[in-house]
Amino acid sequence: MVSSSELKAWWKEAVVYQIYPRSFMDSNNDGIGDLVGIIQKLDYLKNLGIDVIWLSPHFDSPNADNGYDIRDYRKVMAEFGTMADFDQLLTQMKQRGMRLIIDLVVNHTSDEHQWFLESRQSTDNPYRDYYIWRESKPDTLPNNYPSFFGGSAWEKDAATGQYYLHYFAKKQPDLNWDNPQVRADVYDLMRFWLDKGVSGFRMDVIPFISKQQGLPDLAPEHLPHPEFVYANGPYVHDYLQEMNREVLAHYDTMTVGEAFGITFEQAPLFTDARRHELNMIFHFDLVRLDRDGWRKLAWTLPDVKAVYGRIDAAASSHGWNTTFLTNHDNPRAVSHFGDDSPEWRSISAKALATMMFSQRGTPFLYQGDELGMTNYPFQNITDYDDVEVKGQWQDFVLSGKVSAPDYLAHLAQTSRDNARTPMQWNTQAQAGFTTAQPWLAVNPNYPEVNAEAQTHDTNSVYQHHQRLITLRKANPVLIYGTYQDLDPEHPQVYAFTRTLEGKTCLILINFGHQAIDYTLPNGIRIETVLLDNGAQLEAPASGSTQITLQPWQATIYTVA
Ligand code: TEU
Ligand code: CA
């Protein structure tokens, strides 16, 4: 086993904050967040302890999927500002010792991208092979692939009568990575941004880039979850190794792949440093633990612990993990795994943050989670903006498969729009995000949940995040230490340790609304309290082996 010091890296020690620019801060009051708005809030992020920002797509886009449909990879989205604003953002971040990683969305482009406009012209256009085109018999599709956003993954195009492949919306045609010219163009645009000074990429659905040979039909058992087939094309690792050789190896970067459709066992194929592919991937088994598509399922604490155990094992000694509880595609962490009622919101959000920041992996904090922002009280289908919802409404509700009330009840808990409502900065109208009508409604709880109040309140979710980040940076054991789950089956208490070079931290989290007496396993004794989430009035005596945990108490101890 390689010692942890040999494996040290800045991107393992960094705390990353994800910005969904559309909803972060609107500087010119057109209802849409923008780059100047981000610049205005850099001190807020620096103050929180953030080292790296992951910016969701900021490129020119017709916004069929809020920027995940790119029209021009070298242009800034007009609503977000100009290239001068982007350069200013980088400069201002550098001055504060912060780094920027951007979203690399190259499984597909927008149908308005120049390559696709050319490609669709004729079967002999030089760009024809940039995308995936198939002939088909009248009234049959090339195969049975479904799109994640509803209907078939094939769209017939009028100019040539052939079909193009789109795993997501019709306006997101999939690129043909088997074409070396496509790969060369992608590597070029990566260099363009790296040369500007970005420090790496979050790579959108990156395992999907290599398509199955011959595109055979999905077996019936794969139809509900096509991602497990889409993610397992034959050349994905060849392409990532090539990308690494051609581009990444020449820069000091942080890379994280969105590994939708990848199992734990496969993770090291992407992240084992000896393979020279990516630094980290996002596993979705935790955030998708309790759902099947739009449908909400039940979860238990032992389920959560089992996922964490498997995630940690998957990183192996040569890989590295991410730790996150939500992103722009998932419900809010406190509404999902905590209790977002006024009585428990703050304390449970702090407990979840303690859990997340104490895992072995690079933390990716999603905007607003540092405030314990909650899901939105969605009522009607017209409250939603998301392209995914529109497709599902057609496939499930209008088709008569599911009743509207049933779908809406689940969707309110699972919708991606929960995470996309504007940031809640203060108590002014529209939460200080904008003075205009925002593109998506502000959560009505902003008078109680907002940044201005929390930055001044020592008991806030925000200040708890600050303390967690400071503690993590001061204690390498919380970054590099090995992980051990002490009590995997306990239904209410999550008890785990992190150990490095003879130093052990114990993390205890009570997921219940009742206090509980908990006896420490393995003869462990408390030494000191490093950080509490405010639930415990008095620290236990040094040497304690039994602890009364208050409701939602989360404490980090040193132990003997
Ligand atoms: O998401 C990948 C993805 O397939 C899912 O997480 C997606 O959110 C959907 O729920 C599947 O049912 C990435 C981006 O994060 C997402 O915002 C984009 O919409 C998608 O890729 C397409 O670029
Ligand atoms: Ca704006």
Side-chain angles (χ1 to χ4, degrees), residues 65 68 105 108 148-149 168 172 202 204-205 258 260 288 328-329 388 416 420:
D65 187 18
Y68 283 91
V105 188
H108 45 268
F148 290 109
F149 292 161
F168 294 91
Q172 293 167 297
R202 173 270 188 186
D204 194 65
V205 289
E258 189 202 23
F260 198 44
R288 296 281 163 119
H328 64 293
D329 293 333
E388 183 175 53
R416 311 199 295 180
R420 299 178 178 185

Side-chain angles (χ1 to χ4, degrees), residues 342-369:
E343 185 183 359
W344 301 107
R345 186 192 62 79
S346 175
I347 195 80
S348 68
K350 286 185 271 182
L352 294 172
T354 303
M355 172 174 80
M356 174 178 135
F357 280 87
S358 304
Q359 297 291 332
R360 186 167 68 127
T362 298
F364 282 74
L365 178 62
Y366 181 67
Q367 69 181 38
D369 258 29

Side-chain angles (χ1 to χ4, degrees), residues 291-338:
R291 65 187 283 191
D292 187 9
W294 52 273
R295 205 179 271 282
K296 175 85 171 82
L297 310 171
W299 63 273
T300 68
L301 183 59
D303 295 339
V304 168
K305 293 189 247 187
V307 173
Y308 273 129
R310 295 175 68 192
I311 288 179
D312 194 71
S316 80
S317 59
H318 294 278
W320 192 250
N321 273 326
T322 56
T323 167
F324 67 103
L325 293 174
T326 191
N327 61 19
H328 64 293
D329 293 333
N330 288 286
R332 286 285 176 185
V334 68
S335 303
H336 192 174
F337 298 111

